[in-house]
Amino acid sequence: MKIFHNIRQHPIVSVIVALLASALLIFAFSEGKFLKMTAYLAAILATVLVTDWLAAKFKTDDAEFLIKSPAKELKLLLATQAIVVVISIIRFQVFTDWQNTGSLFKLPIFFLMLLFVFPVVLIAAFLKWRYS
């Protein structure tokens, strides 16, 4: 599978991913949610393996994907992720009693979550920049 080749080609990234997964498992263990986190990480791994297998099976095009403006696209991706973090903090830390939170606060947060958590903003920007 291509994933094992990529792990050998990028050992630093592989170590960082392994450290992050280990940190998540340690944190989950301290919170009493080790089995749930293990299942979550296993689901992510299964998704990656299935995606890798399907890409190999259907012989994806090896043509390079041209990045038109890396700085602009990186800024958009980082800004989008920062907005997701802020929305998540507001949703899960500020409004902890979501059921009793008024619609005046729920609707804008829900709308922003739809735009940014799901990649609607990214898709719109990349379509505007003529990516296919």
Side-chain angles (χ1 to χ4, degrees), residues 61-110:
D61 186 15
D62 288 337
E64 288 191 31
F65 183 75
L66 179 64
I67 298 175
K68 298 176 183 177
S69 178
K72 179 171 70 170
E73 293 152 11
L74 179 61
K75 287 176 188 173
L76 174 68
L77 289 170
L78 292 176
T80 303
Q81 291 307 304
I83 291 170
V84 168
V85 169
V86 169
I87 293 169
S88 298
I89 289 171
I90 291 170
R91 164 59 181 93
F92 295 105
Q93 298 298 321
V94 175
F95 296 109
T96 54
D97 187 13
W98 188 250
Q99 297 301 323
N100 294 321
T101 301
S103 296
L104 180 65
F105 297 107
K106 275 186 179 180
L107 289 176
I109 292 171
F110 180 71

Side-chain angles (χ1 to χ4, degrees), residues 17 59 67 111:
V17 169
K59 303 288 183 192
I67 298 175
F111 181 72

Side-chain angles (χ1 to χ4, degrees), residues 27-39:
F27 177 74
F29 183 77
S30 71
E31 295 287 318
K33 298 178 181 178
F34 183 76
L35 289 177
K36 288 181 181 180
M37 182 58 72
T38 303

Side-chain angles (χ1 to χ4, degrees), residues 5-23:
H5 172 72
N6 289 338
I7 290 171
R8 285 191 297 274
Q9 290 291 102
H10 306 285
I12 294 173
V13 173
S14 301
V15 168
I16 291 171
V17 169
L19 289 173
L20 287 172
S22 300

